[in-house]
Structures are given as C-alpha cells and as structure tokens.
C-alpha cells in the first residue's frame, strides 16, 4: 500500500468526488477508465502530494491538481488495472473491458495479493532477461501486462524472446527447465504462488512442447490434462514408443526417415 505517498487519478476524483480505495495500492499504476498514470506530485510546485491538503484536488500551494498533464498508457496495461480494480471492489473480472484478450478466466480465482505478487514476479523476470534494471513496480507490471496480451500468444512471444537471448549467450542444457532456470525458479518455485501460477506454467510447458523446438521437455513437467504431442521428443522416447532397437533407429535417422534436431549446449 502507498500509505505515506498518495497517488490517484485526478479525473476520477473530480467525477466521483472521492478517491477510490484502488489508488491505495502501490500496484495501481494507471487509470483503467482514463488510460493515464496517477499523479503523485503537484504540477505547480513539484512537491509530493500529501494526505493533508486544503482540498481533494487542491495542493498545499493552492494549485489545482486537475491541471496536471499526463501521458497515455498502453491499452493492455489500463485493462489489466481494470481487472485489479474489479478484484479490489469484489466485482467479476469477466464483466470488465478486455480488448487486449488478457487471461481473465485464469486470473478470476486468484486472490488479490497473490495476483499482484505473480504479476510483479513475471514482470521482473522479463525485465531481467532483457538486461533491464528493475527499479520500479510500474515497469514490472507494465512488462507483465505485455506478456498477458493476446493470451497465450503474447506469453509465447515473450518466452521466445527470452529463449533467443539464452541461445545467443549459449544454452547451458538441453532440458526446457534448465534452459529457462532463472525464469522458472523466479515464478514457479515460489511456495505462495505455485498453485495460482499454474496457468503460466502450463503455457510455459506448452510453449516448450509445440513452439520452442530447442529443448526437451521432461514428462514430469506435463500434466495429464495437457496435449501429449510435442514438436520434438528424445530419440530414446521415440524408439520406446515404436518398439525400435538402437540400430534400427540409427538406420532410420541415417536414411532420413526420421527428422532429427541436435541441441548444442556448453557441455555436449
């Protein structure tokens, strides 16, 4: 919560004649209605807005806070804020605008605090993978929102971006989890988040099976409800599925009957 340093949308305050509880969240980085960031400083004197001021929209210096200029916020970030605001107010997420195609069904049952932690963690991992310093919560949440757009394709694009950087730096292993270890541990191994982040984990595994094509995916990572088809499987698994000996498998690979892909890592 932002208890000592208030920030809010002046347009909402002007229209509703009060400041909504949503703005007490440090995660409230944009107005879902006006697509603008909240104000935290006076546009005239430049001082931080305080709780003790002469009026709802009046700074201690006398300036009108509605005169603050603002920049437009990306639609997907504003819509994610709309979902968080609905959760704060106990309203169904499914009734909120969702032109960005965010995963509303998956987000609906997640408790508010857990959801904020998941979004923050996801954004931090994305920024770190880009070599960007994680300084503020708003940057993390904005990065997370961009990954949830056009679900799950936007998430897959972000994972592919992370994977490409890993490949350029030299893959450390052939397994999907080991290749994306920092990302995996940063989100899926947090005890308080693990069960609620399952939708991200399932699509991470799906990405590895169907699209990435530069890693093996261990069967332990796959849930029974997930599709079993994978873009690539190991030679030993293929041989076991089709009852082939090592010699026969080698012959089929040599004559081109089976298409193979080699994953080069630092070790092998």
């Amino acid at each position: 919560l932002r208890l000592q340093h208030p920030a809010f949308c002046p347009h909402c305050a002007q229209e509703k004649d009060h400041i909504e509880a949503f703005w007490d969240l440090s995660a409230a980085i944009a107005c879902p209605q006006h697509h603008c960031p909240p104000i935290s400083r006076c546009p005239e004197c430049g001082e931080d807005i305080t709780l003790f001021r002469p009026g709802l929209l009046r700074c201690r210096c006398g300036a009108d806070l509605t005169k603050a200029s603002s920049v437009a916020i990306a639609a997907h970030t504003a819509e994610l804020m709309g979902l968080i605001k609905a959760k704060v107010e106990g309203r169904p997420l499914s009734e909120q605008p969702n032109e960005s195609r965010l995963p509303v069904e998956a987000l609906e049952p997640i408790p508010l605090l857990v959801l904020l932690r998941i979004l923050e963690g996801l954004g931090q991992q994305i920024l770190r993978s880009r070599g960007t310093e994680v300084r503020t919560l708003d940057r993390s949440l904005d990065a997370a929102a961009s990954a949830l757009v056009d679900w799950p394709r936007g998430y897959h694009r972000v994972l592919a971006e992370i994977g490409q950087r890993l490949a350029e730096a030299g893959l450390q292993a052939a397994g999907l989890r080991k290749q994306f270890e920092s990302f995996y541990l940063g989100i899926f191994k947090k005890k308080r988040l693990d069960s609620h982040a399952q939708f991200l984990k399932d699509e991470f595994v799906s990405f590895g099976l169907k699209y990435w094509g530069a890693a093996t995916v261990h069967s332990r990572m796959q849930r029974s409800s997930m599709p079993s088809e994978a873009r690539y499987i190991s030679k030993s698994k293929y041989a076991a599925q089709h009852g082939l000996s090592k010699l026969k498998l080698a012959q089929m690979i040599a004559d081109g009957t089976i298409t193979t892909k080699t994953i080069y890592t630092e070790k092998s």
Side-chain angles (χ1 to χ4, degrees), residues 30-52:
C31 176
Q33 181 178 349
H34 300 101
H35 289 212
C36 64
I39 61 167
S40 58
R41 292 178 179 272
C42 173
E44 293 293 333
C45 68
E47 294 294 324
D48 289 343
I49 294 172
T50 66
L51 293 172
F52 304 100

Side-chain angles (χ1 to χ4, degrees), residues 217-236:
V217 182
H218 199 283
S219 57
R220 284 200 301 265
M221 293 183 66
Q222 302 173 47
R223 297 203 297 170
S224 59
S225 59
M226 297 180 65
S228 59
E229 287 190 14
R231 186 175 179 185
Y232 292 100
I233 59 174
S234 65
K235 291 189 292 184
S236 58

